[in-house]
Amino acid sequence: MALSSTLGLLLLLSYSTTLLLLCNANPIPGRHRSPINRHPRSASHNYRDALTKSILFFEGQRSGKLPPNQRVSWRRDSGLSDGAAAHVDLVGGYYDAGDNVKFGFPMAFTTTMLSWSVIEFGGLMKGELQNARQAIRWATDYLLKATAHPGTIYVQVGDATKDHACWERPEDMDTPRTVLKIDQNTPGSEVAAETAAALASASLVFRRCDPTYSKLLVRRAMSVFAFADKHRGPYSIGLKKFVCPYYCDYSGFQDELLWGAAWLYKATKNPLYLSYIQVNGQILGAAEFDNTFGWDNKHVGARILLSKAFLVQKVKSLHDYKGHADSFICSIIPGASYSSAQYTPGGLLFKMNDSNMQYVTSTSFLILSYAKYLTSSRQVVNCGGTAITPKRLRAIAKRQVDYLLGDNPMKMSYMVGYGPRYPRRIHHRGSSLPCIAAHPAKIQCSSGFSVMSSQSPNPNILVGAVIGGPDKNDKFPDQRSDYEQSEPATYINAPLVGSLAYLAHSFGQL
Ligand SMILES: *[C@@H]1O[C@H](CO)[C@@H](O)[C@H](O)[C@H]1NC(C)=O
């Protein structure tokens, strides 16, 4: 090798090492100052511990080749041939919940919410910031593979029906790793626009610490969004047999187009996205009544995000989004006459029987983010003539997080491994079956079901996993077969990461 190219290689190596170091560095102190941090108060919860665990959880959901610094050590490599069925590399990414399918739609939403958590509250995370970035990168590295071929997006690996017919560790799985894709003949605007949102939001996370990666993400986000918008249609029709009822898109793809455009505008500042939002906002449901924010419906997320552009970045043409955001916030204030949200007797926001906690974490995050925007612009929420202050909003969000962590009638933390009492029989294949180190022999598809239906506690503690949670009467049976209440999911944790960073910081724990 010639000296000049050796030197070049060395320079290149040191350059990428610097970037890596920057990405792993702690933020500059004092850049994000909380208005209530002057007098740290005593907290009933260790939010910092919960934050650490909420991020650690993502390592337990990893698919693919695990790195040497993998901390959840009972997990091993899995899905190393994913994509082979379509002659593409789709190794990596996350299992969405307690099964072994890689569903692109909720994985993309998870990524967007993890990124938003870091964008709003990453400056407060201290040493956890690098772990949060790693959790995002594990997803974006995969989403870059899934979108590597222009005009095609690989949106799922695994056959959910066949996967669900087994109770197998991911390391053992032998069900078909069916590869599903969308393209112009089989469009999927919801999954494509959510993927664009994920890539765009993550580009903001890496903008300073890894500009090359960030640019790759944002360029890909732009082309993926263009594809989503040009070839409109729901994947829930073209791929119905595979994606429904698991992650069937019930709310339509309009919400994802609005949400995707909002993230693209935020990531690029390109006025074309702003005019897209202005022209299409109403048609895409900017003022829709629905106040449920989750992997399916992003309308209220888009409202809060666009209200930030108006309140914080002073984009005057988006002034309507302050009203849209206010009407959402008013609809969830507990006990208020203008509110339409249901709460359990113990005080938990209750939207649905199945995986209710995802709405608790997503809504709390939106409330805390909105409180931040209102504070920076010295505004309040206007609910039918009544003013709701940011302070009140923060108290409402804190109450939800505190309930989740144990302040509830069951005296139960719904985060695994946090506090003295937490769910022991979560609906999660890898957590419930003995790990490879303890039981190296393969556990066949159906032989795992005897463990699933048993009363024994899970041998592997999936630390940080937040599960579906109690029913509408605050009851929680801790039954492994009960996926509605006992299954964790990546999109339950993702927005919680941001809220916990905020709470840990405001109580002087970070
Ligand atoms: C939710 O659970 C209750 C029982 O707690 C049941 O009566 C109701 O039908 C369930 N709702 C849905 C939509 O499944």
Side-chain angles (χ1 to χ4, degrees), residues 121-341:
F121 302 113
L124 312 176
M125 286 182 189
K126 300 268 174 67
E128 286 305 326
L129 178 59
Q130 59 175 297
N131 291 323
R133 284 183 184 141
Q134 295 273 357
I136 293 165
R137 201 166 183 140
W138 194 266
T140 47
D141 282 349
Y142 176 83
L143 294 176
L144 287 171
K145 290 181 179 183
T147 56
H149 305 268
T152 298
I153 303 177
Y154 294 96
V155 297
Q156 186 169 319
V157 181
D159 180 320
T161 307
K162 291 187 173 130
D163 180 277
H164 289 188
C166 296
W167 192 263
E168 278 184 308
R169 301 178 292 198
E171 294 83 0
D172 281 344
M173 68 182 160
D174 47 11
T175 52
R177 299 303 283 169
T178 310
V179 174
L180 300 171
K181 65 173 184 181
I182 57 166
D183 56 25
Q184 61 179 36
N185 302 316
T186 313
S189 298
E190 68 290 86
V191 61
E194 184 61 63
T195 303
L199 296 165
S201 57
S203 80
L204 291 164
V205 168
F206 294 102
R207 187 147 70 178
R208 279 201 196 83
C209 74
D210 191 342
T212 308
Y213 191 64
S214 174
K215 285 194 188 96
L216 174 64
L217 293 171
V218 77
R219 275 198 307 268
R220 190 66 61 79
M222 291 166 74
S223 64
V224 168
F225 184 78
F227 169 80
D229 189 45
K230 185 172 178 204
H231 302 287
R232 289 196 183 192
Y235 89 146
S236 298
I237 290 181
L239 300 176
K240 184 172 183 189
K241 180 172 154 230
F242 297 98
V243 301
C244 299
Y246 312 101
Y247 290 103
C248 206
D249 185 43
Y250 299 100
S251 72
F253 56 74
Q254 289 78 7
D255 54 309
E256 280 86 11
L257 287 176
L258 182 63
W259 167 247
W263 277 111
L264 260 305
Y265 176 58
K266 196 162 164 39
T268 63
K269 297 284 178 290
N270 187 328
L272 284 175
Y273 294 110
L274 183 59
S275 48
Y276 180 96
I277 292 160
Q278 286 167 316
V279 170
N280 298 296
Q282 290 310 308
I283 307 160
L284 297 177
E288 207 194 61
F289 181 72
D290 192 292
N291 66 3
T292 304
F293 181 47
W295 60 262
D296 185 2
N297 195 336
K298 287 89 187 197
H299 274 124
V300 293
R303 288 194 220 171
I304 296 289
L305 185 64
L306 289 168
S307 79
K308 180 184 189 182
F310 171 68
L311 289 168
V312 182
Q313 281 100 28
K314 312 293 178 201
V315 181
K316 296 222 161 47
S317 60
L318 293 173
H319 63 269
D320 284 355
Y321 285 87
K322 165 74 166 64
H324 295 330
D326 277 7
S327 68
F328 156 62
I329 294 288
C330 298
S331 79
I332 48 146
I333 304 281
S337 55
Y338 35 75
S339 167
S340 59

